[in-house]
Amino acid sequence: MSKPKILIARAVFPEVIARLEQHFDVESNQDDHTWSKAELIAHLQGKAGAFTTGGDRIDSDVLAACPELKMCANMAVGYNNFDLDAMTAAGVLATNAPDVLTETTADFGFALLMATARRITESEHFLRAGKWTKWRYDMFAGADIHGATLGILGMGRIGQGIAKRGALGFGMKVIYHNRSRLDAALEAECQARYVDKEELLKTADHLVLVLPYSPASHHAIGASELALMKPTATLVNIARGGIVDDAALAAALRNRTIAAAGLDVFEGEPSVHPDLLSVPNVVLTPHIASATMPTRLAMASLAADNLIAFFTGNKPLTPLNAAVLAIK
Ligand code: GLV
């Protein structure tokens, strides 16, 4: 019997490809071309499965042009690149890669918070530019982390990891806002207090965004939300571009409505709003929060496990639209 055909849409670990080749007839984009939608469709036609990353958009056009597609496994916890309703309607199973990246991503969120509050990249640029000629009492004075109030918007697994780091490691007071409140045991474990969004914005010394992107969270932080924040506050976005209005944030940073921001994700990335590139009080990183080799390998392996499970008639590990399985 011939093996099902799958497409690996981006470059990935050779050992993961080798494992998938045991089960599938694999086409892989190991040269890591950036495909247009038409190119993605051309490569996906005739494939039963796809190994995708967060930049590979699977929408109704792609689904209509690829009727043989039965499953897409995302090597990311976020899945806003999937039109999940359209996939469900087309009977295409979607999986993501949660859990395996939680601690690595929470580590990075904390690192970005510290780099931002303590002005680490700004001061490094100053040093590299040969501008460091003397000590000064207020040179690159930033904001304290320890003992400060840490606000978290979006309290899923990664948010909880950041809360624990803040409360247990740095003696921070943790407040959070989320679509639904955590149960009491989890709140106690994270030492976090639930507040409404306005209190979160007004009270946090450092605000970390970890909520999923959806039309409902588009520009959840815009000019009016930034205006509520303390002028000394730090904002960190490790969630998704589009949750923050980047133009409004650049203006707030320039006007010192808030003190500083740390951004790992951007609207329209890999393009970055030019106004963000010209303000000094922002730390910019290229969407690397989950980027350690063990974690990236675990994410790729989970995506591969999902593909193998589904096509060998077993239950996928992390389905997003399990309803599709029920009708099979
Ligand atoms: C990364 O952004 C992910 O969603 O895994």
Side-chain angles (χ1 to χ4, degrees), residues 14-262:
E15 59 265 48
V16 173
I17 298 180
R19 183 148 163 260
L20 286 168
E21 279 170 345
Q22 292 170 11
H23 299 268
F24 301 105
D25 178 354
V26 175
E27 178 188 336
S28 89
N29 179 12
Q30 202 59 356
D31 293 335
D32 217 28
H33 293 296
T34 304
W35 285 334
S36 65
K37 184 175 191 164
E39 287 169 322
L40 174 64
I41 289 174
H43 288 277
L44 204 49
Q45 277 170 338
K47 306 292 191 302
F51 180 116
T52 55
T53 64
D56 306 310
R57 176 105 187 113
I58 305 294
D59 60 14
S60 49
D61 298 335
V62 175
L63 294 165
C66 304
E68 287 164 69
L69 190 64
K70 292 189 174 52
M71 182 199 172
C72 293
N74 223 28
M75 185 193 150
V77 62
Y79 51 88
N80 53 303
N81 56 311
F82 287 167
D83 181 336
L84 205 53
D85 290 342
M87 291 176 79
T88 306
V92 174
L93 180 78
T95 61
N96 68 338
D99 301 322
V100 290
L101 79 183
T102 300
E103 298 304 328
T104 295
T105 305
D107 281 351
F108 186 87
F110 222 86
L112 192 53
L113 167 56
M114 296 203 70
T116 304
R118 295 304 306 273
R119 306 176 64 180
I120 286 179
T121 55
E122 192 186 350
S123 60
E124 190 199 349
H125 292 151
F126 169 89
L127 181 153
R128 284 181 187 269
K131 295 181 184 166
W132 185 28
T133 53
K134 58 179 185 224
W135 182 91
R136 216 190 113 86
Y137 74 98
D138 61 350
M139 190 168 75
F140 293 108
D144 275 323
I145 302 288
H146 72 275
T149 297
L150 171 62
I152 300 176
L153 185 57
M155 197 61 155
R157 292 156 287 214
I158 299 169
Q160 292 165 33
I162 292 170
K164 286 180 203 158
R165 281 161 178 75
L168 307 174
F170 290 81
M172 300 179 87
K173 294 178 270 301
V174 181
I175 54 177
Y176 77 98
H177 184 72
N178 197 39
R179 269 174 309 183
S180 50
R181 193 173 164 171
L182 299 185
D183 66 36
L186 217 41
E187 275 189 0
E189 205 181 303
C190 296
Q191 299 187 17
R193 185 169 66 84
Y194 182 81
V195 294
D196 64 27
K197 188 175 168 190
E198 187 172 331
E199 185 178 345
L200 184 83
L201 293 164
K202 286 181 170 168
T203 315
D205 295 312
H206 307 290
L207 178 60
V208 182
L209 309 178
V210 215
L211 63 168
Y213 180 80
S214 70
S217 62
H218 182 73
H219 287 187
I221 302 293
S224 45
E225 287 76 18
L226 291 161
L228 291 177
M229 293 177 69
K230 296 180 182 178
T232 50
T234 303
L235 176 71
V236 170
N237 186 9
I238 56 164
R240 275 290 182 274
I243 290 175
V244 175
D245 176 341
D246 284 349
L249 175 61
L253 290 167
R254 180 163 286 116
N255 302 332
R256 305 275 164 175
T257 308
I258 65 169

Side-chain angles (χ1 to χ4, degrees), residues 246-247 249-250 253 263 266 272-280 282 284:
D246 284 349
L249 175 61
L253 290 167
L263 306 174
F266 303 87
V272 175
H273 196 293
D275 293 355
L276 285 172
L277 295 171
S278 61
V279 284
V282 62
L284 306 168

